[in-house]
Amino acid sequence: MIEMTKREKAIQEAFKERMDETELLNCMRCGFCLPACPTYIETGFDETHSPRGRIALMKAVHDGLISPDDDVERSLNLCLGCRACEPVCPAGVQYGHLLEDARDIFNEYNRHSLPIKMVRKTIFEGLFPHQNRMANAIGLLSFYQRSGLQKATRKIGFIKLFPKHLRQMEKALPDVPSRKTMKNRPTNLSANTYQFKAKVAFFRGCLMDTMFMDTNDATLKLLQKAGCEIVIPEGQNCCGALHGHSGEMDKAKELAKRNIDAFENTDADYIIVNAGGCGAFLIDYDHLLKDDPEYAGRAKEFAAKMKDISQILYELDFHKQVPLSLKNQIVTYQDSCHLRNVMKTFLPPRALISAIQGANFREMEKADSCCGSAGIYNIIESEMSMKILDHKMEKVAETEAHTIVTANPGCLLQMKLGIEREGLSDRVRAIHIVDLLLEACD
C-alpha cells in the first residue's frame, strides 16, 4: 500500500471521483502522440512528459498506485495544453479534458503561498472577468508607451533589470489604444455590401478588445465586406480559457454561463471569434457544462454556432469576391494549436492567404507544432517556451518569409518575440490574418 499524506489522499480520492475513468482507459499506449508532443521532444523523449505518459500518471493516481506528489503535478504543469496529441490519436482520447480536470483537482488542494494567492485572485477574479478593469489595465500600458515613459526606462537601463526574454517581450508588445478609445465600442453593424449573407454575433474577447482592438476592428470590417450583419452583445465577458487551463474550473463555468446568457438571444446564425485559444474553449462549453441541468443543452447550441473568422470568410467566398493584393512578399503561416487541433480549422486561413495577389505562400515545416506561447506558459515556463520558440524560428528561416501570419494573440506575440530574439525585426514581421486581409483589401 502506498503511503500518502492527508493532502495526497484527498487528491487521490478526488481523482477517483471526478476523473473520467473511461477516457483514461481509452488510451491504448500506442505512441502515435509522441512525435506530436513538444515537451516530449524537448525533454529528450522523456515519457513522463508525453501525453500517454501523463495519462498513465493520471490513471496510476486514480487507482492509488502512486502518490499525487510534486513530480506528478510538475509533469502536468509542464504540458503546453496544445492538444496536438488529439488529432493523431487513433482512439480519439480527449486528452485536453483530462488535463484540465487533473489540474483543477491539484489546484483545489494546493497550499499556495500568500503572494501567489494574491496574484491568482487578482488575475482570475479581479481582472479578466471584468472588461472595464481590463481596459483600465491596458490603458496604463498605453500611457507607458505614449507618455515617453517607455523610452525613458529603456534609456536609463531600468528595463535591463528584467530577465532577457521579458525584455524582448516588452519590445514585442503592440502599440495599444488609449483608454478613451477603448470606451467607444460598437454593438451593432450592418453589412456594407448589397448582398446580405448572414447575421453573426461577434465574440470580442478581453485582450482582443483592448490590447488588440485594431485587430477586432479589422475583423468587423471584413465581416461587413463579406455581407454580414453583426451584433456584439454587451453582456459578454472573458471566455474562461485562462481559468480552465489553470485549475480554476468553477470560475470558468461561471464565465461560460454569462456568455451563453449574452449570446443566446441574438438570433445570430453564427458566433464568430478571431482568437484560436478563445475559440477552442468556447466550442468546448458543451463539455464544460455537460453536468449542469440548466445549461447543458444551451451550451450545446452555443458551441454548435461557433466559427473562426477565417472559416466564415472562406465559407462565404470572401477571397473569391473581394480583390486582394499586396506588394510582392513571401508569406508563411503558423497554426494556432487550438484553432487547428480543437476547432479543426486549417485549410481556410491558407486558402485566404493564397488568394492574395503578390503573396507568395510557403508552407512552413511543422507549422502545426506549438510555438511555445500557450497562454501565460511563456512567462511561467520560460525556459521550455524559449526552446520551442527557437526551434520554431529555425523552421521560419527555412521559408525565407517576410511575413509570418497567425490567428491567435498569444501566437502573434510569441512570433514577434521570436523575430526580436533572432534580430530580424528590420526585415520580418508577424501579423494576425485579419489584419493582413484588410491590408490586402485597401
Side-chain angles (χ1 to χ4, degrees):
M1 186 70 180
I2 302 294
E3 290 190 15
M4 300 186 195
T5 65
K6 185 177 179 180
R7 171 181 171 271
E8 289 172 344
K9 286 180 181 177
I11 293 174
Q12 193 269 327
E13 282 300 315
F15 264 65
K16 196 165 186 64
E17 292 173 9
R18 290 156 52 183
M19 295 296 291
D20 188 337
E21 186 175 14
T22 301
E23 201 64 52
L24 289 170
L25 288 169
N26 279 343
C27 178
M28 304 183 296
R29 314 289 192 265
C30 66
F32 277 86
C33 59
L34 300 183
C37 178
T39 54
Y40 172 71
I41 295 168
E42 294 295 342
T43 56
F45 312 113
D46 185 343
E47 278 280 3
T48 61
H49 297 307
S50 72
R52 73 174 180 183
R54 292 183 176 107
I55 291 174
L57 291 174
M58 294 179 209
K59 183 68 167 62
V61 171
H62 175 277
D63 294 344
L65 300 177
I66 63 172
S67 299
D69 56 19
D70 292 343
D71 289 338
V72 174
E73 186 176 12
R74 177 61 184 151
S75 175
L76 298 179
N77 287 341
L78 194 62
C79 178
L80 291 142
C82 68
R83 297 172 71 167
C85 51
E86 293 183 13
V88 298
C89 177
V93 176
Q94 295 296 300
Y95 171 81
H97 297 161
L98 292 172
L99 177 68
E100 287 177 355
D101 289 342
R103 283 177 170 173
D104 186 49
I105 293 169
F106 267 102
N107 182 60
E108 184 178 331
Y109 292 95
N110 269 346
R111 296 184 293 271
H112 294 302
S113 65
L114 183 60
I116 291 177
K117 280 183 181 178
M118 291 176 66
V119 169
R120 289 181 71 94
K121 187 175 180 65
T122 299
I123 292 173
F124 296 128
E125 295 182 32
L127 184 59
F128 276 87
H130 307 282
Q131 191 66 11
N132 61 325
R133 295 179 189 174
M134 282 292 297
N136 287 335
I138 300 301
L140 292 175
L141 177 58
S142 175
F143 175 78
Y144 168 74
Q145 291 178 334
R146 295 165 186 267
S147 65
L149 187 58
Q150 184 179 51
K151 290 181 180 179
T153 55
R154 291 176 179 177
K155 188 174 182 179
I156 65 175
F158 177 75
I159 199 73
K160 292 181 180 179
L161 298 175
F162 293 88
K164 182 179 179 181
H165 80 282
L166 289 181
R167 298 199 304 268
Q168 293 168 332
M169 200 175 290
E170 187 265 352
K171 287 185 179 180
L173 288 173
D175 292 331
V176 300
S178 66
R179 178 68 181 91
K180 182 179 179 181
T181 307
M182 286 184 276
K183 278 185 176 181
N184 303 313
R185 305 301 291 139
T187 56
N188 291 90
L189 295 168
S190 59
N192 62 4
T193 62
Y194 66 90
Q195 187 178 4
F196 169 79
K197 292 186 177 180
K199 181 178 180 180
V200 301
F202 179 56
F203 182 80
R204 65 190 182 195
C206 36
L207 277 179
M208 289 305 299
D209 213 44
T210 50
M211 184 179 290
F212 296 94
M213 192 185 76
D214 289 345
T215 301
N216 266 8
D217 288 343
T219 303
L220 296 174
K221 289 175 183 177
L222 292 179
L223 287 170
Q224 287 180 292
K225 288 176 181 291
C228 295
E229 176 190 346
I230 310 163
V231 58
I232 305 105
E234 293 187 81
Q236 62 177 293
N237 52 216
C238 172
C239 67
L242 185 62
H243 301 76
H245 300 329
S246 304
E248 300 282 349
M249 202 61 75
D250 286 343
K251 294 182 181 65
K253 290 177 181 179
E254 181 184 333
L255 292 170
K257 290 176 184 179
R258 289 186 203 165
N259 279 327
I260 291 170
D261 290 342
F263 279 86
E264 64 184 353
N265 294 320
T266 60
D267 193 33
D269 302 309
Y270 308 108
I271 300 171
I272 305 303
V273 64
N274 62 5
C278 296
F281 201 75
L282 292 163
I283 207 169
D284 253 358
Y285 275 5
D286 56 340
H287 170 78
L288 183 68
L289 299 172
K290 66 182 187 303
D291 297 323
D292 189 299
E294 182 183 353
Y295 280 88
R298 295 160 67 185
K300 189 172 291 188
E301 291 179 11
F302 177 95
K305 290 186 174 185
M306 286 302 310
K307 283 186 187 292
D308 180 70
I309 178 62
S310 63
Q311 183 72 44
I312 188 67
L313 292 177
Y314 177 75
E315 291 177 2
L316 295 178
D317 288 332
F318 174 84
H319 56 307
K320 296 178 182 178
Q321 297 181 6
V322 177
L324 301 170
S325 65
L326 291 170
K327 66 178 183 180
N328 291 336
Q329 57 193 282
I330 300 170
V331 181
T332 195
Y333 179 73
Q334 165 61 26
D335 284 284
S336 156
C337 293
H338 287 136
L339 180 59
R340 180 167 183 141
N341 300 328
V342 183
M343 296 190 78
K344 313 299 182 189
T345 301
F346 50 89
L347 173 62
R350 289 168 167 82
L352 291 167
I353 295 168
S354 298
I356 302 173
Q357 184 179 356
N360 177 10
F361 178 70
R362 290 186 186 174
E363 185 70 36
M364 185 198 315
E365 184 183 356
K366 296 185 178 179
D368 59 341
S369 68
C370 186
C371 64
S373 172
I376 58 173
Y377 187 96
N378 57 1
I379 298 174
I380 62 176
E381 297 288 351
S382 60
E383 183 179 354
M384 178 61 73
S385 175
M386 293 305 102
K387 286 181 181 179
I388 294 169
L389 176 58
D390 288 344
H391 287 149
K392 176 62 66 175
M393 293 309 296
E394 291 173 6
K395 301 303 179 185
V396 170
E398 290 172 5
T399 68
E400 300 180 320
H402 306 105
T403 301
I404 308 168
V405 182
T406 190
N408 185 61
C411 302
L412 179 60
L413 287 177
Q414 187 79 339
M415 299 315 296
K416 285 177 177 286
L417 176 57
I419 291 169
E420 190 67 37
R421 284 171 66 84
E422 296 296 320
L424 299 172
S425 56
D426 60 334
R427 55 189 182 277
V428 180
R429 64 171 179 163
I431 189 170
H432 193 289
I433 187 169
V434 299
D435 293 312
L436 184 78
L437 290 172
L438 187 63
E439 183 182 319
C441 288
D442 296 338

